[in-house]
Structure formats: C-alpha cells, structure tokens
C-alpha cells in the first residue's frame, strides 16, 4: 500500500489551487439518473470516490466518458439495473445518493444499506422516512433497502437532525414528484446549494437551497445541462491550516472564502493573517498559534470535516484548547496517532482537550479515515524528523494530488508506492 514520507520544519510559501469539491461532485453525478439527456460536468476532481460513483452508475447502465481533463459527460438513456450492490456501497456510503433519483424517475430501487463507518454508525433512517412520507414503500431485505413508488408525492418533511446527503436525496426525489415538497431543518451546505443550481439548470423548480427550508415543485421530466462543480472548501481549509501550522505564507487560489469562513475566523483567532489576494485567499502565520476552542456544527458552523486538521494545529498551539465534535459520534480516531507524534491530547466524551507542544516529532502513523489522514500529513509538515503516513488510500478518496500541491509550496513530502 502507498504511504507518504514527510520531513517537517519547512514553512509553506507560494500559491496552490483547489480542485472541484468531492461532496458536490458525488450528488451531481447521481442526478444524471433523473433525466435521459446528457449532463456535462466541469471541474470534476480526479478522486477515488468520484471513480467509485462513476463505476456504480456505469454498473446501472449510465454512459460515462471523460471529454477533457476535469470534464465528464454522463447520460442515462437506458438503465438496466436499479440496484447498488453491497460491494460498492461499503466502499463509499455516498452511493445511497442514487436512491432518491432512481425512485423518482423509475419508481424502484434496491440499494444496499451502508453499514457502520470509522467515524460513527451513520444510519440513513432520515433518508428512508422522508421517502416514505413521499409515498414510497420501503422494505429492508437481506441488508438491502428495497423501495417502490409508482410516483412520489410532494409533502412536508422535517428532518429530525440536519443531514447533508439526506437533504440532497430528498431534494432530487422531489423534483419529479407530484405536487410540492417542503424540506424543513434542511442542510444549508454549499454543496446542497450547488446541487440545487444543477437541478434548476435541468428544469427543476427548487427554491430556498442554502437555507433550512427548501421548496421543490415537482415537474413531469428534466432535461440535460452543463454544470461547473464548486471548489472544495474542505481542501481549501486543509491548505489554510497547512500554511498556519508551518508558519508559512500561502495563497489558496480558486476557493470561495464564504464557504469556509468559520475555519478562517478560527485561524485569525489563532493569530493568522487572512486576506483576499489575487484570485484567492492569503493565509500567513508568523508565530506559534494561539489556542482556540472549537465546536463543530452543520454549515455555516465549523465543519466537522475540518475538525481533525484544526486539532493538528492546536497540538502545537501556545496553550490549551477544547475541541468538541457534535456531528459524528466517533471522530477522534486521529488522536492516538497524533499522540504517537508527541501531542498532548485527552478525550472525554465528545470533547478533546489539547495542550499544545512547541514541536511534534516525526513517527510512523496510520490513517483511519479521510480527514484523519489529512491531519497526520499536516502534523508531519510541522514535526521534527520523518513522518510516514500509512494507508493513504483514505486520503486519495478526497484529495486530488495533495502531496504535489504541498511540494509546490516547498514542503518535503513523497509518495512511496506499496
Ligand atoms: C456528508 O455526509 C459528507 N459527505 C460528510 O463528509 C460530512 O462529514 C457530513 O455530510 C457532515 O457535514 C458527503 O457529502 C458525501 P449527515 P452525510 O447525514 O450526509 C446523522 C468527508 O470527509 N444522521 O449530514 O452522510 C449522522 O449519523 C465526509 O468528505 C442520522 O442519524 O452526513 C450524523 O451524526 C465524511 N440519520 C449526522 O446526522 C440519517 O438518516 C449528520 O450526518 C442521516 C444522518
């Protein structure tokens, strides 16, 4: 298996561009099932998870081709299979995003239940109850969701908990339903808004995306569209923390600052200078960071997908900070690995107390999930000596050429193929 070898201690300087957002590309690609016409996407990141959803869609009968680097054309003229096998869902939970579109256009779907995940049990009950409220018949058979609905019917659905893919699944399902659907306590993430923009381009009647109440008036059919995937705010946030943890000076190009304001506000609180700069956002850190307390929350709160990365920064802060994870039950898998690098962190329930040390030490560490792997890379860039990050297939799921971007900023990082 591939691993990354990192020698820390170099301030990162220069500029790097962010890629398209994984969490916007996945639902957008699933939306191809809503129409028989072509969808063309630009700014599609080259990631393992994107390859997985493409494979899944092709398994069903979708035609997919790469028109140019970063540009994909997808068409679902003739779907032969209406199911997602366990083997695909277990590698990527976001595969459940095909459930809403399949039900809406074809009236049937058989999708494997995702099962547990490193960061928490992550059930999909809210997806299922929402679809049932829209009139779908849903059974769980042999680990599969078997869903039927001659035609979904618009209704009012209130999410008990804010759920990103739950909102996306139901928003897509409602586009072809009979009547109007109102989603309450919906997720407001930029990726949800980006999906709504795509659906509107396909002729859907969606209003209120980006707020907690989304209204969708169903139509008879949807048409083809071209769509540019938004930049990845989590990658942008990760690069911003890389600049801060190495006391560097980096311009993050092509990002949308409003999409990760909660992160940059905390970086400023920790002592970083954050400013708009030609075509991007400039992050500079001249000294050791100050400790700041963090509580994760749905957008516009502090993203849980940035929690591990900011913990690496707080591990070298001048003082004590508390990091509280409210979205997922078990998202501190990176802590034992950071301890191996000399960090001083204690976890109690959903809060980690981090007492900063001046310098981390390089060590062999193990990635456990996508964002945990990013935090280990950041810690390695600050540490004295050599860090080896194993199981970086986790990283490849959601970061496009991260090590090349870090190298272009002067970081010492190499991939060693397994
Ligand atoms: C999306 O996951 C993202 N994935 C995650 O990013 C991200 O961490 C998460 O949103 C939160 O921001 C994609 O967009 C593909 P949720 P999702 O449903 O939609 C509970 C990454 O690193 N819940 O918003 O699966 C759930 O257990 C990944 O890129 C239910 O109880 O997350 C969690 O505690 C990791 N029942 C909370 O809600 C449900 O039916 C929020 O989960 C659905 C969710």
């Amino acid at each position: 298996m591939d691993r990354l070898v990192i020698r820390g201690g170099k301030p990162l300087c220069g500029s790097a561009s962010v890629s398209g957002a994984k969490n916007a590309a996945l639902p957008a690609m699933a939306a191809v099932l809503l129409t028989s016409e072509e969808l063309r996407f630009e700014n599609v990141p080259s990631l393992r998870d994107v390859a997985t959803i493409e494979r899944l869609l092709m398994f069903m009968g979708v035609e997919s081709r790469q028109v140019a680097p970063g540009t994909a054309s997808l068409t679902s003229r003739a779907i032969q299979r209406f199911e997602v096998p366990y083997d695909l869902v277990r590698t990527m939970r976001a595969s459940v995003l095909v459930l809403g579109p399949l039900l809406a256009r074809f009236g049937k779907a058989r999708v494997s239940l995702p099962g547990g995940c490193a960061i928490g049990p992550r059930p999909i009950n809210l997806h299922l109850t929402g679809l049932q409220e829209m009139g779908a018949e849903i059974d769980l058979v042999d680990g599969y969701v078997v869903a039927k609905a001659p035609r979904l019917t618009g209704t009012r659905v209130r999410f008990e908990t804010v759920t990103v893919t739950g909102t996306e699944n139901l928003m897509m399902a409602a586009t072809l339903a009979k009547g109007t659907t109102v989603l309450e306590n919906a997720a407001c993430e930029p990726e949800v808004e980006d999906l709504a923009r795509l659906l509107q381009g396909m002729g859907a009647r969606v209003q209120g995306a980006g707020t907690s109440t989304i209204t969708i008036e169903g139509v008879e059919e949807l048409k083809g569209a071209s769509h540019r995937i938004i930049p990845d705010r989590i990658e942008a946030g990760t690069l911003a923390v890389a600049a801060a943890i190495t006391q560097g000076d980096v311009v993050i190009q092509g990002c949308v600052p409003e999409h990760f304001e909660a992160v940059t506000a905390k970086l400023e609180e920790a002592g970083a200078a954050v400013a708009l700069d030609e075509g991007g956002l400039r992050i500079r850190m001249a000294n050791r960071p100050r400790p700041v307390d963090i509580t994760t929350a749905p957008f516009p709160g502090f993203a849980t997908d940035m929690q591990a990365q900011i913990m690496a920064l707080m591990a070298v802060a001048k003082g004590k900070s508390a990091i509280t994870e409210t979205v997922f039950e078990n998202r501190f898998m990176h802590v034992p690995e950071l301890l191996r690098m000399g960090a001083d962190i204690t976890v109690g329930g959903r809060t980690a107390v981090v007492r900063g040390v001046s310098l981390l030490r390089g060590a062999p560490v193990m990635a456990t999930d996508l964002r945990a792997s990013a935090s280990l890379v950041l810690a390695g860039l600050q540490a004295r000596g050599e860090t080896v990050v194993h199981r970086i297939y986790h990283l490849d799921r959601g970061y496009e050429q991260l090590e090349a971007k870090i190298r272009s900023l002067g970081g010492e990082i190499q991939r060693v193929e397994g």
Side-chain angles (χ1 to χ4, degrees):
M1 268 185 262
D2 290 9
R3 58 194 186 277
L4 283 175
V5 179
I6 307 165
R7 295 200 70 82
K10 282 251 180 87
L12 298 187
C13 293
S15 65
S17 300
V18 291
S19 303
K22 166 182 80 81
N23 291 346
L26 300 178
M29 292 169 76
V32 73
L33 295 166
L34 290 168
T35 176
S36 59
E37 296 181 17
E38 181 197 24
L39 292 186
R40 191 167 278 224
F41 297 112
E42 284 175 15
N43 204 28
V44 180
S46 167
L47 300 170
R48 276 169 60 98
D49 277 9
V50 170
T52 302
I53 201 155
E54 188 192 17
R55 203 151 35 93
L56 157 61
L57 292 169
M58 290 171 82
F59 172 80
M60 294 178 175
V62 170
E63 295 151 46
S64 173
R65 62 194 172 90
Q66 189 169 22
V67 182
T71 302
S73 157
L74 296 167
T75 314
S76 74
R77 254 183 287 267
I79 295 292
Q80 286 104 27
R81 293 194 188 103
F82 306 91
E83 72 167 65
V84 188
Y86 173 64
D87 271 351
L88 284 170
V89 174
R90 75 183 170 81
T91 56
M92 186 185 69
R93 328 174 46 75
S95 311
V96 293
L97 283 164
V98 302
L99 184 56
L102 278 177
L103 256 185
R105 182 163 160 225
F106 301 101
K108 58 183 174 183
R110 184 170 179 270
V111 175
S112 169
L113 271 175
C117 161
I119 65 176
R122 301 184 72 182
I124 58 165
N125 57 311
L126 301 177
H127 302 231
L128 304 182
T129 46
L131 290 167
Q132 278 170 324
E133 285 167 35
M134 294 176 73
E137 213 184 290
I138 295 193
D139 292 304
L140 299 183
V141 184
D142 303 333
Y144 279 76
V145 175
V146 179
K148 278 191 251 113
R151 182 156 189 209
L152 294 169
T153 307
T155 185
R156 191 171 284 274
V157 175
R158 184 173 174 79
F159 291 108
E160 206 178 290
T161 309
V162 172
T163 160
V164 176
T165 49
T167 300
E168 293 165 343
N169 232 336
L170 264 72
M171 187 162 71
M172 290 192 277
T175 57
L176 295 172
K178 198 157 152 261
T180 302
T181 301
V182 180
L183 302 178
E184 292 175 346
N185 198 27
C188 307
E189 268 66 5
E191 295 77 22
V192 172
E193 255 190 285
D194 198 41
L195 178 63
R197 256 192 302 277
L198 165 66
L199 295 171
Q200 287 160 346
M202 294 167 69
R205 298 193 186 136
V206 182
Q207 287 183 336
T211 77
S212 59
T213 304
I214 305 175
T215 304
I216 308 106
E217 197 189 323
V219 296
E220 292 302 317
E221 62 177 10
L222 293 172
K223 56 186 170 67
S226 295
H227 181 78
R228 186 174 173 80
I229 305 287
I230 53 170
D232 197 317
R233 63 192 169 100
I234 307 298
E235 184 197 5
T238 304
L239 289 169
V241 176
I245 202 168
T246 61
Q247 298 183 26
D249 181 351
V250 171
V251 177
I252 304 164
Q253 284 177 328
C255 65
V256 180
E258 301 75 53
H259 287 178
F260 61 118
E261 238 162 17
V263 173
T264 50
K266 284 293 173 186
L267 288 177
E268 279 181 315
E269 211 181 307
V274 178
L276 287 176
D277 195 280
E278 274 162 52
L281 201 64
R282 186 173 179 188
I283 313 285
R284 272 174 302 158
M285 181 74 104
N287 302 303
R288 223 176 123 190
R290 289 192 289 266
V292 294
D293 293 338
I294 308 270
T295 299
T296 65
F299 190 88
F302 191 97
T304 170
D305 294 349
M306 281 300 304
Q307 179 256 98
Q309 297 92 315
I310 207 93
M311 188 184 286
L313 183 68
M314 289 301 104
V316 295
K318 222 174 180 174
K320 194 167 80 174
S321 55
I323 299 180
T324 302
E325 174 56 60
T326 70
V327 178
F328 290 109
E329 299 79 356
N330 184 32
R331 204 167 199 179
F332 287 140
M333 303 284 279
H334 39 285
V335 172
E337 302 303 312
L338 290 171
L339 294 181
R340 290 175 49 70
M341 299 181 71
D344 180 356
I345 307 168
T346 42
V347 175
R350 290 206 176 197
T351 298
V353 175
V354 186
R355 281 165 290 276
V357 297
S358 55
L359 203 54
L360 295 169
R361 292 189 305 274
V365 288
M366 185 88 74
T368 48
D369 61 78
L370 167 58
R371 308 303 170 184
S373 48
S375 86
L376 300 177
V377 170
L378 298 177
L381 290 169
Q382 196 275 352
R384 183 190 306 128
E386 186 176 276
T387 296
V388 182
V389 184
H390 293 274
R391 297 194 179 173
I392 53 167
Y393 55 83
H394 289 291
L395 194 78
D396 295 337
R397 295 188 56 177
Y399 289 93
E400 186 178 47
Q401 301 196 353
L402 183 64
E403 75 262 26
K405 293 183 185 180
I406 291 172
R407 258 200 313 274
S408 75
L409 297 169
E412 275 190 55
I413 180 168
Q414 287 294 340
R415 177 180 292 250
V416 178
E417 292 191 1

